[in-house]
Structures are given as structure tokens and as C-alpha cells.
């Protein structure tokens, strides 16, 4: 990551200068992640009801519980900055709800692919943005996005299903592509609405952001990781 | 609690003597609590979808997340004793599923009353049983059953609803009585099926259990606490 190092948000002396813009962007990122965790909890809990057995249900329940734990940490961090999590999440209701409304898993396997592929590309993108905020915020972002050992579970289950019925692979590959399309469409919406968040990436008058080449490199990284995840599932991206 | 003090389970030298019976009872209790936590997660997550607003939804999501955390601690504890949580939970699938199938909240308020009144009387009973197991197990049971500050939230919401529409009170009072009836019916089923668990309370040849007077005092305590909870909600028990 050569574009830019930590911005030292909230620690600078001038509250109205560039620091204020950084700060607003960082708070947006935390609000977005908090609402993302809450909707992920909701979805994982709902998907856990489609589990073919109790052991699978337990896995998803544990994943859902982790999302609540992440939510709690983001809420505490926002509270430390005097920000109410409910207010911080508000701008992100529509894009997240829109994404989930358009990508309701029809079955257990679609839910698993969504939890791995959809959340994976989103997490990669959040980590890219987090490269531009202060070190503490960045550390928190990385912690709440860290994979908690559930990848093996998802990959194992999906590969198993494709092995016993190869047709499943074609359907899930389509599903994976649709997830990415919907995610990008909602990301554009957020980018258009939230200047502070966007300007973390694009820069402001006072601070140069990513140039076109850097943006293109970022997209390459996102696509590369996505392709890697699809391949891990045995799916064509 | 004058009936009996800690039994020092699992630390005694004879694995086939009275200690083995204690141990089986304690493991049953942990399995029961683990499955209880898992189904409570499931139910709270489902109820959170009926929340009238996002703040209410967050409250229930946090309560659901705590159940997953409790489940994780019970699972670790069972694993320390070489017991697989999935096996330990199996005997309790039917009674818990039966209870939940017969007490599906029709709306948000019924869900809240169930989370407070239903779980309340169950927790009281588990604590009574825990008086007969070793100190470590007892401490864990008390921790996973501790109220985590959500009582105020539930009580506040229910009282508010009754204030704005007193008819609601009559309906919820009936609901509360039904919850207790269903809980007792499933508890009897467990008592009939699980000798090790039951004999924690009733004693064995080697160890005197509760006499009739003590059982009656225990029931008085359960009813008293239940009445107190219903009254806190503004409901007649």
C-alpha cells in the first residue's frame, strides 16, 4: 500500500481544517461498518434457519454473534468520539437494505456464498479505504473485518455441494457475479452521497488522493481477491 | 439456599461412584443451557425482525449476540470435560423445540414478554439446580444466566405499550400465564427423561436430595419471582 500512510485523524490541532474532513470520513466508515455488521447479523441469523443440520446452524449462529460483537466495538468507538451509532448508521440504511433486498439467498448454499464472496469484496474495499484513516481507526477496521476461521467452513460446505451435484456450480457462479454487481451498484450510491467518505480515497484540495493509476490498481486488487475467493469455492468468476 | 452446598464434581477420586452421577447431572445441565442459549439466539434474532424501530432491533440483536457468547462458553466448558456440545445438547432438542413451537410470539410485545418472563422462570429453575453441582459449574451457570441490563429495556417497552393501550395488558397477562404453563410441561418432560439431571434435585441412594418441604419451598421461590416479574411489567400473574 504505497498511496498514503495514516492521516492522524482527530489528533491534529485544527478541528475545521483538513483534519475535520478526515474525521468525518473516518466516522462515516465506522457508521457504515456498524450498519454492515448489524445487517450481516440479521442475514446470518436468517440464513442459519436454512441450515441442513444443527452443526451448520451453530456455525452460522457463531458468525452472527461475532457480527454483534463487532457492532458493539464500533458503537463504543463512535461513542468515544461523542457520536451516536444510530445517527452514524443512518446514511447507510438505504444502500445496505437495497443490497440485501436484491440479494436474498434462495437457499443455504446461496447464503454461504454471499457470506464469503459478498462480504469478502466489501471487506477488501473497506480495508482499502481504511488505509487513509488514522492508525487506531484502521486497526479497529481490520479487527472487525478479520476472518474468524469461518472461511474453511464455507469453502468446505460449498465444494462438497458442487462435488455431489456439479450443476450447483453453475448456479452459484451466476449468483457470485450477481452479488458483485449489486455490491458495486450500492457502493456507487454511497460514493455519490457521502463526500467525506469518498474524499478519503479521492483526496481534497488540501491533500492529494489516489490518482487514476492508483484507483485502477485498487480495482485490480479487488478483482484479484474476488477471483481468488470464487476459485476457492470451485466457481468461475 | 440451605438445602445443599457444592458437591465438588469431577474432582472426587471415584469416577463410578456418586461423583459419576453428579458429573452426569452437571453435564446435562450444561448441555441443556447450551441448547437453551442456541434457541434463545434464534428466537431473539427472529423477534428482532418485528422491532418497531432500529434502536429496538439493536437491543434484541445485542441480546441475541450474548446468547451466542454464552453458548460458546458452555461449549468450551463441555470440551474441557471431553464432551462434544452437539451430543450434550441432543436430549434437549425436543423439549426446547416443543416449547418454542408452542409459544411463537405473534408480535413484538409477546416476544419481549417471552424473553423476560419465560426466560426468567427458566433461569430461576436452572439456578436452583445449579445449587447442587460443583462450584465451577455453578459459577458458569450463574454467569450465563445473569441479566445483562436488558430487563429495564423490556420492562420499559412493555409498560409503555400498556399505558398507551390498556387492553394490551390483558392479552399479555394471558400470554405470560401460557408461557409458564408450557415451560412447566416441557420441564416435566425433561425430568422424566433425564434421570441424572433430576437426581441432582431429588437425590440418590447415596445422597439425600430435597425432601418434600424443600421442593415446595423451591416452587414457592419460583412462583414468587415470576409474580414479581409479571408485576414489574404491570401484568397480573
Amino acid at each position: 500500500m504505497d498511496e498514503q500512510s495514516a492521516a492522524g485523524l482527530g489528533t491534529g490541532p485544527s478541528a475545521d481544517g483538513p483534519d475535520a474532513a478526515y474525521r468525518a470520513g473516518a466516522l462515516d466508515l465506522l457508521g457504515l461498518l456498524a450498519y454492515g455488521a448489524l445487517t450481516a447479523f440479521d442475514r446470518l441469523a436468517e440464513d442459519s434457519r436454512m441450515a441442513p443440520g444443527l452443526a451448520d446452524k451453530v456455525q452460522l449462529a457463531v458468525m452472527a454473534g461475532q457480527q454483534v460483537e463487532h457492532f458493539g466495538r464500533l458503537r463504543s468507538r463512535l461513542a468515544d468520539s461523542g457520536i451516536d451509532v444510530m445517527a452514524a448508521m443512518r446514511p447507510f440504511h438505504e444502500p445496505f437494505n437495497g443490497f440485501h433486498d436484491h440479494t436474498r439467498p434462495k437457499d443455504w448454499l446461496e447464503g454461504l456464498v454471499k457470506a464469503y464472496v459478498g462480504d469478502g469484496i466489501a471487506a477488501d474495499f473497506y480495508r482499502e479505504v481504511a488505509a487513509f484513516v488514522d492508525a487506531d481507526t484502521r486497526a479497529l477496521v481490520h479487527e472487525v473485518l478479520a476472518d474468524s476461521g469461518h472461511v474453511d467452513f464455507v469453502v468446505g460446505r460449498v465444494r462438497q455441494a458442487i462435488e455431489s451435484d456439479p450443476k450447483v456450480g453453475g448456479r452459484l457462479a451466476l449468483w457470485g457475479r450477481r452479488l458483485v454487481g449489486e455490491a458495486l451498484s450500492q457502493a456507487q450510491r454511497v460514493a455519490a452521497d457521502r463526500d467525506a467518505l469518498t474524499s478519503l480515497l479521492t483526496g481534497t484540495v488540501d491533500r492529494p488522493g489516489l490518482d487514476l493509476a492508483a484507483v485502477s490498481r485498487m480495482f485490480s486488487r479487488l478483482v484479484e481477491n474476488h477471483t481468488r475467493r470464487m476459485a476457492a469455492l470451485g466457481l468461475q468468476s
Side-chain angles (χ1 to χ4, degrees), chain A:
Chain A
M1 209 133 301
D2 54 347
E3 284 84 18
Q4 175 120 2
S5 64
L9 287 205
T11 54
S14 95
D16 300 324
D19 270 5
Y22 276 128
R23 200 177 125 83
L27 294 175
D28 255 11
L29 181 60
L30 296 175
L32 179 157
L33 288 172
Y35 197 67
L38 204 58
T39 54
F41 154 78
D42 202 41
R43 191 198 68 215
L44 290 165
E46 198 168 2
D47 291 353
S48 78
R49 274 194 206 97
M50 300 192 282
L54 189 61
D56 286 328
K57 194 190 180 83
V58 164
Q59 279 276 3
L60 258 71
V62 169
M63 289 163 76
Q66 280 173 345
Q67 294 293 341
V68 175
E69 199 255 316
H70 294 163
F71 169 83
R73 292 173 66 182
L74 294 158
R75 175 168 65 177
S76 300
R77 178 60 187 274
L78 283 161
D80 290 346
S81 305
I83 309 286
D84 175 32
V85 70
M86 302 307 290
M89 295 193 299
R90 205 156 294 133
F92 307 106
H93 294 185
E94 271 190 52
F96 273 99
N97 296 349
F99 176 71
H100 288 304
D101 285 346
H102 290 129
T103 58
R104 273 192 197 291
K106 269 198 316 289
D107 59 22
W108 165 247
L109 289 172
E110 288 193 0
L112 289 186
V113 170
K114 184 171 170 182
Y116 177 48
V117 168
D119 292 7
I121 195 162
D124 280 344
F125 179 67
Y126 302 149
R127 276 186 285 252
E128 294 281 351
V129 178
F132 297 89
V133 299
D134 59 295
D136 280 1
T137 305
R138 188 165 55 250
L140 178 60
V141 170
H142 278 262
E143 279 168 46
V144 301
L145 295 176
D147 153 50
S148 329
H150 297 294
V151 166
D152 289 348
F153 162 72
V154 172
V155 169
R157 280 291 181 278
V158 173
R159 293 193 78 104
Q160 207 174 34
I162 296 173
E163 247 168 64
S164 53
D165 180 7
K167 277 200 314 280
V168 164
R171 174 165 73 83
L172 292 180
L174 273 174
W175 172 244
R177 292 199 279 278
R178 186 156 144 233
L179 288 170
V180 173
E182 292 286 348
L184 281 179
S185 134
Q186 299 300 337
Q188 278 181 316
R189 189 169 177 171
V190 171
D193 281 359
R194 304 303 294 174
D195 285 346
L197 195 57
T198 314
S199 68
L200 283 178
L201 280 178
T202 59
T204 58
V205 191
D206 311 297
R207 178 182 60 85
L210 296 181
D211 59 19
L212 222 60
V215 169
S216 143
R217 281 199 299 279
M218 184 186 87
F219 271 99
S220 302
R221 283 192 296 272
L222 293 177
V223 170
E224 221 169 87
N225 284 335
H226 170 67
T227 307
R228 192 181 44 69
R229 275 186 293 266
M230 292 288 276
L233 294 175
L235 300 177
Q236 240 189 325
S237 56

